[in-house]
PDB file of all heavy atoms in Angstrom:
ATOM      1  N   THR A   1      89.654 111.624 101.707  1.00 87.00           N
ATOM      2  CA  THR A   1      89.517 111.096 103.064  1.00 87.00           C
ATOM      3  C   THR A   1      89.712 109.582 103.089  1.00 87.00           C
ATOM      4  O   THR A   1      90.398 109.047 103.974  1.00 87.00           O
ATOM      5  CB  THR A   1      88.133 111.450 103.628  1.00 87.00           C
ATOM      6  OG1 THR A   1      87.925 112.861 103.534  1.00 87.00           O
ATOM      7  CG2 THR A   1      88.015 111.029 105.088  1.00 87.00           C
ATOM      8  N   MET A   2      89.132 108.879 102.142  1.00 85.00           N
ATOM      9  CA  MET A   2      89.295 107.430 102.082  1.00 85.00           C
ATOM     10  C   MET A   2      90.739 107.043 101.800  1.00 85.00           C
ATOM     11  O   MET A   2      91.258 106.065 102.366  1.00 85.00           O
ATOM     12  CB  MET A   2      88.365 106.848 101.010  1.00 85.00           C
ATOM     13  CG  MET A   2      88.350 105.333 100.979  1.00 85.00           C
ATOM     14  SD  MET A   2      87.737 104.603 102.530  1.00 85.00           S
ATOM     15  CE  MET A   2      85.995 105.050 102.414  1.00 85.00           C
ATOM     16  N   ASN A   3      91.404 107.803 100.937  1.00 82.00           N
ATOM     17  CA  ASN A   3      92.814 107.537 100.651  1.00 82.00           C
ATOM     18  C   ASN A   3      93.659 107.723 101.903  1.00 82.00           C
ATOM     19  O   ASN A   3      94.564 106.921 102.182  1.00 82.00           O
ATOM     20  CB  ASN A   3      93.289 108.472  99.539  1.00 82.00           C
ATOM     21  CG  ASN A   3      94.777 108.366  99.276  1.00 82.00           C
ATOM     22  OD1 ASN A   3      95.559 109.122  99.842  1.00 82.00           O
ATOM     23  ND2 ASN A   3      95.170 107.437  98.423  1.00 82.00           N
ATOM     24  N   ARG A   4      93.365 108.755 102.673  1.00 80.00           N
ATOM     25  CA  ARG A   4      94.110 109.003 103.905  1.00 80.00           C
ATOM     26  C   ARG A   4      93.886 107.879 104.914  1.00 80.00           C
ATOM     27  O   ARG A   4      94.823 107.425 105.572  1.00 80.00           O
ATOM     28  CB  ARG A   4      93.664 110.345 104.485  1.00 80.00           C
ATOM     29  CG  ARG A   4      94.361 110.749 105.769  1.00 80.00           C
ATOM     30  CD  ARG A   4      94.098 112.212 106.059  1.00 80.00           C
ATOM     31  NE  ARG A   4      94.603 112.576 107.367  1.00 80.00           N
ATOM     32  CZ  ARG A   4      93.843 112.734 108.442  1.00 80.00           C
ATOM     33  NH1 ARG A   4      92.539 112.552 108.353  1.00 80.00           N
ATOM     34  NH2 ARG A   4      94.360 113.076 109.598  1.00 80.00           N
ATOM     35  N   TYR A   5      92.650 107.416 105.030  1.00 77.00           N
ATOM     36  CA  TYR A   5      92.354 106.318 105.958  1.00 77.00           C
ATOM     37  C   TYR A   5      93.074 105.035 105.527  1.00 77.00           C
ATOM     38  O   TYR A   5      93.701 104.349 106.341  1.00 77.00           O
ATOM     39  CB  TYR A   5      90.853 106.085 106.012  1.00 77.00           C
ATOM     40  CG  TYR A   5      90.463 104.786 106.685  1.00 77.00           C
ATOM     41  CD1 TYR A   5      90.443 104.680 108.074  1.00 77.00           C
ATOM     42  CD2 TYR A   5      90.141 103.659 105.923  1.00 77.00           C
ATOM     43  CE1 TYR A   5      90.099 103.490 108.694  1.00 77.00           C
ATOM     44  CE2 TYR A   5      89.802 102.473 106.537  1.00 77.00           C
ATOM     45  CZ  TYR A   5      89.776 102.391 107.920  1.00 77.00           C
ATOM     46  OH  TYR A   5      89.453 101.207 108.531  1.00 77.00           O
ATOM     47  N   THR A   6      92.982 104.706 104.243  1.00 79.00           N
ATOM     48  CA  THR A   6      93.591 103.470 103.747  1.00 79.00           C
ATOM     49  C   THR A   6      95.104 103.488 103.916  1.00 79.00           C
ATOM     50  O   THR A   6      95.709 102.492 104.336  1.00 79.00           O
ATOM     51  CB  THR A   6      93.226 103.276 102.264  1.00 79.00           C
ATOM     52  OG1 THR A   6      91.808 103.298 102.118  1.00 79.00           O
ATOM     53  CG2 THR A   6      93.758 101.944 101.751  1.00 79.00           C
ATOM     54  N   LYS A   7      95.720 104.607 103.604  1.00 76.00           N
ATOM     55  CA  LYS A   7      97.174 104.711 103.708  1.00 76.00           C
ATOM     56  C   LYS A   7      97.622 104.560 105.163  1.00 76.00           C
ATOM     57  O   LYS A   7      98.586 103.851 105.460  1.00 76.00           O
ATOM     58  CB  LYS A   7      97.624 106.051 103.135  1.00 76.00           C
ATOM     59  CG  LYS A   7      99.127 106.150 102.895  1.00 76.00           C
ATOM     60  CD  LYS A   7      99.452 107.461 102.218  1.00 76.00           C
ATOM     61  CE  LYS A   7     100.923 107.544 101.855  1.00 76.00           C
ATOM     62  NZ  LYS A   7     101.313 106.569 100.823  1.00 76.00           N
ATOM     63  N   THR A   8      96.928 105.215 106.088  1.00 72.00           N
ATOM     64  CA  THR A   8      97.278 105.107 107.506  1.00 72.00           C
ATOM     65  C   THR A   8      97.077 103.689 108.019  1.00 72.00           C
ATOM     66  O   THR A   8      97.911 103.147 108.763  1.00 72.00           O
ATOM     67  CB  THR A   8      96.429 106.084 108.331  1.00 72.00           C
ATOM     68  OG1 THR A   8      96.591 107.406 107.812  1.00 72.00           O
ATOM     69  CG2 THR A   8      96.844 106.074 109.789  1.00 72.00           C
ATOM     70  N   PHE A   9      95.986 103.065 107.621  1.00 68.00           N
ATOM     71  CA  PHE A   9      95.693 101.701 108.069  1.00 68.00           C
ATOM     72  C   PHE A   9      96.765 100.727 107.583  1.00 68.00           C
ATOM     73  O   PHE A   9      97.248  99.870 108.343  1.00 68.00           O
ATOM     74  CB  PHE A   9      94.312 101.284 107.563  1.00 68.00           C
ATOM     75  CG  PHE A   9      93.921  99.891 107.957  1.00 68.00           C
ATOM     76  CD1 PHE A   9      93.456  99.611 109.230  1.00 68.00           C
ATOM     77  CD2 PHE A   9      94.026  98.846 107.042  1.00 68.00           C
ATOM     78  CE1 PHE A   9      93.101  98.324 109.592  1.00 68.00           C
ATOM     79  CE2 PHE A   9      93.677  97.559 107.394  1.00 68.00           C
ATOM     80  CZ  PHE A   9      93.209  97.293 108.677  1.00 68.00           C
ATOM     81  N   LEU A  10      97.170 100.843 106.321  1.00 73.00           N
ATOM     82  CA  LEU A  10      98.185  99.950 105.778  1.00 73.00           C
ATOM     83  C   LEU A  10      99.541 100.173 106.440  1.00 73.00           C
ATOM     84  O   LEU A  10     100.292  99.221 106.669  1.00 73.00           O
ATOM     85  CB  LEU A  10      98.296 100.146 104.269  1.00 73.00           C
ATOM     86  CG  LEU A  10      97.090  99.666 103.441  1.00 73.00           C
ATOM     87  CD1 LEU A  10      97.299  99.986 101.978  1.00 73.00           C
ATOM     88  CD2 LEU A  10      96.845  98.183 103.629  1.00 73.00           C
ATOM     89  N   GLU A  11      99.865 101.401 106.761  1.00 71.00           N
ATOM     90  CA  GLU A  11     101.120 101.660 107.439  1.00 71.00           C
ATOM     91  C   GLU A  11     101.142 101.021 108.828  1.00 71.00           C
ATOM     92  O   GLU A  11     102.160 100.464 109.253  1.00 71.00           O
ATOM     93  CB  GLU A  11     101.344 103.169 107.541  1.00 71.00           C
ATOM     94  CG  GLU A  11     101.743 103.817 106.229  1.00 71.00           C
ATOM     95  CD  GLU A  11     101.977 105.307 106.368  1.00 71.00           C
ATOM     96  OE1 GLU A  11     101.787 105.825 107.499  1.00 71.00           O
ATOM     97  OE2 GLU A  11     102.344 105.950 105.378  1.00 71.00           O
ATOM     98  N   PHE A  12     100.033 101.089 109.528  1.00 67.00           N
ATOM     99  CA  PHE A  12      99.975 100.462 110.850  1.00 67.00           C
ATOM    100  C   PHE A  12     100.062  98.943 110.760  1.00 67.00           C
ATOM    101  O   PHE A  12     100.692  98.296 111.601  1.00 67.00           O
ATOM    102  CB  PHE A  12      98.690 100.884 111.572  1.00 67.00           C
ATOM    103  CG  PHE A  12      98.891 102.039 112.487  1.00 67.00           C
ATOM    104  CD1 PHE A  12      98.813 103.326 112.007  1.00 67.00           C
ATOM    105  CD2 PHE A  12      99.188 101.848 113.825  1.00 67.00           C
ATOM    106  CE1 PHE A  12      99.014 104.403 112.840  1.00 67.00           C
ATOM    107  CE2 PHE A  12      99.387 102.918 114.661  1.00 67.00           C
ATOM    108  CZ  PHE A  12      99.303 104.207 114.180  1.00 67.00           C
ATOM    109  N   LYS A  13      99.432  98.370 109.759  1.00 69.00           N
ATOM    110  CA  LYS A  13      99.531  96.917 109.578  1.00 69.00           C
ATOM    111  C   LYS A  13     100.981  96.519 109.300  1.00 69.00           C
ATOM    112  O   LYS A  13     101.471  95.494 109.795  1.00 69.00           O
ATOM    113  CB  LYS A  13      98.619  96.471 108.433  1.00 69.00           C
ATOM    114  CG  LYS A  13      97.132  96.652 108.714  1.00 69.00           C
ATOM    115  CD  LYS A  13      96.639  95.731 109.811  1.00 69.00           C
ATOM    116  CE  LYS A  13      96.625  94.291 109.363  1.00 69.00           C
ATOM    117  NZ  LYS A  13      96.071  93.392 110.401  1.00 69.00           N
ATOM    118  N   TYR A  14     101.669  97.322 108.502  1.00 68.00           N
ATOM    119  CA  TYR A  14     103.059  97.035 108.194  1.00 68.00           C
ATOM    120  C   TYR A  14     103.921  97.127 109.455  1.00 68.00           C
ATOM    121  O   TYR A  14     104.760  96.249 109.719  1.00 68.00           O
ATOM    122  CB  TYR A  14     103.548  98.024 107.139  1.00 68.00           C
ATOM    123  CG  TYR A  14     104.999  97.834 106.758  1.00 68.00           C
ATOM    124  CD1 TYR A  14     105.365  96.885 105.815  1.00 68.00           C
ATOM    125  CD2 TYR A  14     105.991  98.604 107.360  1.00 68.00           C
ATOM    126  CE1 TYR A  14     106.692  96.710 105.469  1.00 68.00           C
ATOM    127  CE2 TYR A  14     107.319  98.437 107.015  1.00 68.00           C
ATOM    128  CZ  TYR A  14     107.656  97.480 106.074  1.00 68.00           C
ATOM    129  OH  TYR A  14     108.974  97.316 105.735  1.00 68.00           O
ATOM    130  N   LYS A  15     103.715  98.165 110.234  1.00 68.00           N
ATOM    131  CA  LYS A  15     104.490  98.319 111.464  1.00 68.00           C
ATOM    132  C   LYS A  15     104.185  97.200 112.458  1.00 68.00           C
ATOM    133  O   LYS A  15     105.074  96.726 113.170  1.00 68.00           O
ATOM    134  CB  LYS A  15     104.193  99.688 112.076  1.00 68.00           C
ATOM    135  CG  LYS A  15     104.782 100.858 111.312  1.00 68.00           C
ATOM    136  CD  LYS A  15     104.374 102.176 111.952  1.00 68.00           C
ATOM    137  CE  LYS A  15     104.930 103.347 111.151  1.00 68.00           C
ATOM    138  NZ  LYS A  15     106.381 103.487 111.297  1.00 68.00           N
ATOM    139  N   GLN A  16     102.928  96.788 112.529  1.00 63.00           N
ATOM    140  CA  GLN A  16     102.563  95.715 113.454  1.00 63.00           C
ATOM    141  C   GLN A  16     103.247  94.400 113.071  1.00 63.00           C
ATOM    142  O   GLN A  16     103.769  93.672 113.932  1.00 63.00           O
ATOM    143  CB  GLN A  16     101.044  95.539 113.472  1.00 63.00           C
ATOM    144  CG  GLN A  16     100.551  94.512 114.477  1.00 63.00           C
ATOM    145  CD  GLN A  16      99.046  94.384 114.465  1.00 63.00           C
ATOM    146  OE1 GLN A  16      98.379  94.849 113.543  1.00 63.00           O
ATOM    147  NE2 GLN A  16      98.494  93.742 115.476  1.00 63.00           N
ATOM    148  N   LYS A  17     103.228  94.078 111.787  1.00 69.00           N
ATOM    149  CA  LYS A  17     103.873  92.846 111.355  1.00 69.00           C
ATOM    150  C   LYS A  17     105.387  92.897 111.581  1.00 69.00           C
ATOM    151  O   LYS A  17     105.996  91.896 111.968  1.00 69.00           O
ATOM    152  CB  LYS A  17     103.569  92.596 109.877  1.00 69.00           C
ATOM    153  CG  LYS A  17     102.116  92.223 109.615  1.00 69.00           C
ATOM    154  CD  LYS A  17     101.886  91.915 108.149  1.00 69.00           C
ATOM    155  CE  LYS A  17     100.439  91.490 107.907  1.00 69.00           C
ATOM    156  NZ  LYS A  17     100.193  91.176 106.478  1.00 69.00           N
ATOM    157  N   ARG A  18     105.982  94.052 111.354  1.00 69.00           N
ATOM    158  CA  ARG A  18     107.423  94.169 111.578  1.00 69.00           C
ATOM    159  C   ARG A  18     107.751  94.028 113.068  1.00 69.00           C
ATOM    160  O   ARG A  18     108.762  93.414 113.435  1.00 69.00           O
ATOM    161  CB  ARG A  18     107.907  95.513 111.036  1.00 69.00           C
ATOM    162  CG  ARG A  18     109.424  95.632 111.034  1.00 69.00           C
ATOM    163  CD  ARG A  18     109.852  96.950 110.410  1.00 69.00           C
ATOM    164  NE  ARG A  18     111.294  97.083 110.400  1.00 69.00           N
ATOM    165  CZ  ARG A  18     112.088  96.669 109.437  1.00 69.00           C
ATOM    166  NH1 ARG A  18     111.570  96.071 108.369  1.00 69.00           N
ATOM    167  NH2 ARG A  18     113.399  96.844 109.509  1.00 69.00           N
ATOM    168  N   LEU A  19     106.922  94.590 113.923  1.00 63.00           N
ATOM    169  CA  LEU A  19     107.128  94.446 115.357  1.00 63.00           C
ATOM    170  C   LEU A  19     107.022  92.986 115.783  1.00 63.00           C
ATOM    171  O   LEU A  19     107.827  92.494 116.591  1.00 63.00           O
ATOM    172  CB  LEU A  19     106.101  95.298 116.110  1.00 63.00           C
ATOM    173  CG  LEU A  19     106.097  95.173 117.632  1.00 63.00           C
ATOM    174  CD1 LEU A  19     107.420  95.661 118.213  1.00 63.00           C
ATOM    175  CD2 LEU A  19     104.937  95.946 118.234  1.00 63.00           C
ATOM    176  N   GLU A  20     106.029  92.270 115.258  1.00 64.00           N
ATOM    177  CA  GLU A  20     105.860  90.857 115.605  1.00 64.00           C
ATOM    178  C   GLU A  20     107.073  90.040 115.169  1.00 64.00           C
ATOM    179  O   GLU A  20     107.534  89.151 115.900  1.00 64.00           O
ATOM    180  CB  GLU A  20     104.583  90.314 114.959  1.00 64.00           C
ATOM    181  CG  GLU A  20     103.308  90.899 115.553  1.00 64.00           C
ATOM    182  CD  GLU A  20     102.077  90.427 114.819  1.00 64.00           C
ATOM    183  OE1 GLU A  20     102.231  89.718 113.788  1.00 64.00           O
ATOM    184  OE2 GLU A  20     100.959  90.744 115.255  1.00 64.00           O
ATOM    185  N   ARG A  21     107.616  90.312 113.993  1.00 67.00           N
ATOM    186  CA  ARG A  21     108.792  89.567 113.536  1.00 67.00           C
ATOM    187  C   ARG A  21     110.006  89.858 114.416  1.00 67.00           C
ATOM    188  O   ARG A  21     110.781  88.952 114.734  1.00 67.00           O
ATOM    189  CB  ARG A  21     109.090  89.910 112.072  1.00 67.00           C
ATOM    190  CG  ARG A  21     108.090  89.354 111.092  1.00 67.00           C
ATOM    191  CD  ARG A  21     108.650  89.388 109.673  1.00 67.00           C
ATOM    192  NE  ARG A  21     108.937  90.760 109.248  1.00 67.00           N
ATOM    193  CZ  ARG A  21     108.087  91.507 108.564  1.00 67.00           C
ATOM    194  NH1 ARG A  21     106.891  91.017 108.243  1.00 67.00           N
ATOM    195  NH2 ARG A  21     108.423  92.727 108.196  1.00 67.00           N
ATOM    196  N   ARG A  22     110.187  91.102 114.799  1.00 66.00           N
ATOM    197  CA  ARG A  22     111.318  91.450 115.647  1.00 66.00           C
ATOM    198  C   ARG A  22     111.221  90.807 117.035  1.00 66.00           C
ATOM    199  O   ARG A  22     112.213  90.336 117.589  1.00 66.00           O
ATOM    200  CB  ARG A  22     111.401  92.975 115.784  1.00 66.00           C
ATOM    201  CG  ARG A  22     111.814  93.692 114.519  1.00 66.00           C
ATOM    202  CD  ARG A  22     113.235  93.307 114.120  1.00 66.00           C
ATOM    203  NE  ARG A  22     113.664  93.995 112.921  1.00 66.00           N
ATOM    204  CZ  ARG A  22     114.294  95.155 112.912  1.00 66.00           C
ATOM    205  NH1 ARG A  22     114.562  95.758 114.058  1.00 66.00           N
ATOM    206  NH2 ARG A  22     114.665  95.704 111.782  1.00 66.00           N
ATOM    207  N   LEU A  23     110.006  90.790 117.596  1.00 61.00           N
ATOM    208  CA  LEU A  23     109.846  90.217 118.933  1.00 61.00           C
ATOM    209  C   LEU A  23     109.990  88.700 118.910  1.00 61.00           C
ATOM    210  O   LEU A  23     110.521  88.100 119.851  1.00 61.00           O
ATOM    211  CB  LEU A  23     108.479  90.608 119.506  1.00 61.00           C
ATOM    212  CG  LEU A  23     108.300  92.092 119.860  1.00 61.00           C
ATOM    213  CD1 LEU A  23     106.892  92.355 120.348  1.00 61.00           C
ATOM    214  CD2 LEU A  23     109.317  92.530 120.902  1.00 61.00           C
ATOM    215  N   LYS A  24     109.501  88.054 117.855  1.00 65.00           N
ATOM    216  CA  LYS A  24     109.627  86.599 117.768  1.00 65.00           C
ATOM    217  C   LYS A  24     111.078  86.171 117.594  1.00 65.00           C
ATOM    218  O   LYS A  24     111.464  85.055 117.972  1.00 65.00           O
ATOM    219  CB  LYS A  24     108.791  86.069 116.602  1.00 65.00           C
ATOM    220  CG  LYS A  24     107.290  86.153 116.854  1.00 65.00           C
ATOM    221  CD  LYS A  24     106.504  85.640 115.659  1.00 65.00           C
ATOM    222  CE  LYS A  24     104.998  85.729 115.925  1.00 65.00           C
ATOM    223  NZ  LYS A  24     104.223  85.245 114.752  1.00 65.00           N
ATOM    224  N   ALA A  25     111.894  87.037 117.033  1.00 63.00           N
ATOM    225  CA  ALA A  25     113.302  86.697 116.823  1.00 63.00           C
ATOM    226  C   ALA A  25     114.127  86.823 118.099  1.00 63.00           C
ATOM    227  O   ALA A  25     115.278  86.387 118.125  1.00 63.00           O
ATOM    228  CB  ALA A  25     113.897  87.584 115.733  1.00 63.00           C
ATOM    229  N   LYS A  26     113.563  87.418 119.149  1.00 64.00           N
ATOM    230  CA  LYS A  26     114.293  87.609 120.400  1.00 64.00           C
ATOM    231  C   LYS A  26     113.776  86.654 121.464  1.00 64.00           C
ATOM    232  O   LYS A  26     112.558  86.488 121.605  1.00 64.00           O
ATOM    233  CB  LYS A  26     114.152  89.050 120.879  1.00 64.00           C
ATOM    234  CG  LYS A  26     114.789  90.063 119.937  1.00 64.00           C
ATOM    235  CD  LYS A  26     114.642  91.455 120.468  1.00 64.00           C
ATOM    236  CE  LYS A  26     115.301  92.462 119.520  1.00 64.00           C
ATOM    237  NZ  LYS A  26     115.184  93.852 120.034  1.00 64.00           N
ATOM    238  N   PRO A  27     114.672  86.058 122.229  1.00 63.00           N
ATOM    239  CA  PRO A  27     114.210  85.155 123.294  1.00 63.00           C
ATOM    240  C   PRO A  27     113.612  85.939 124.456  1.00 63.00           C
ATOM    241  O   PRO A  27     113.994  87.066 124.745  1.00 63.00           O
ATOM    242  CB  PRO A  27     115.502  84.438 123.716  1.00 63.00           C
ATOM    243  CG  PRO A  27     116.602  85.406 123.372  1.00 63.00           C
ATOM    244  CD  PRO A  27     116.138  86.125 122.138  1.00 63.00           C
ATOM    245  N   LYS A  28     112.666  85.299 125.117  1.00 60.00           N
ATOM    246  CA  LYS A  28     112.017  85.857 126.299  1.00 60.00           C
ATOM    247  C   LYS A  28     111.400  87.232 126.030  1.00 60.00           C
ATOM    248  O   LYS A  28     111.443  88.131 126.872  1.00 60.00           O
ATOM    249  CB  LYS A  28     113.009  85.965 127.458  1.00 60.00           C
ATOM    250  CG  LYS A  28     113.575  84.624 127.917  1.00 60.00           C
ATOM    251  CD  LYS A  28     114.523  84.805 129.079  1.00 60.00           C
ATOM    252  CE  LYS A  28     115.101  83.461 129.527  1.00 60.00           C
ATOM    253  NZ  LYS A  28     116.036  83.611 130.684  1.00 60.00           N
ATOM    254  N   SER A  29     110.877  87.413 124.864  1.00 59.00           N
ATOM    255  CA  SER A  29     110.209  88.676 124.559  1.00 59.00           C
ATOM    256  C   SER A  29     108.744  88.596 124.933  1.00 59.00           C
ATOM    257  O   SER A  29     108.147  87.511 124.906  1.00 59.00           O
ATOM    258  CB  SER A  29     110.337  88.981 123.057  1.00 59.00           C
ATOM    259  OG  SER A  29     109.720  87.955 122.291  1.00 59.00           O
ATOM    260  N   PRO A  30     108.117  89.693 125.321  1.00 57.00           N
ATOM    261  CA  PRO A  30     106.691  89.661 125.663  1.00 57.00           C
ATOM    262  C   PRO A  30     105.824  89.350 124.445  1.00 57.00           C
ATOM    263  O   PRO A  30     106.296  89.368 123.305  1.00 57.00           O
ATOM    264  CB  PRO A  30     106.434  91.075 126.185  1.00 57.00           C
ATOM    265  CG  PRO A  30     107.486  91.913 125.557  1.00 57.00           C
ATOM    266  CD  PRO A  30     108.690  91.022 125.435  1.00 57.00           C
TER     267      PRO A  30
END
């Protein structure tokens, strides 16, 4: 159960950081 929680949490952190980089690279992004 802890492994499942940790893996899911890390995947979301990775996706969040990738989203932030993509939005910062575009002008007039929210």
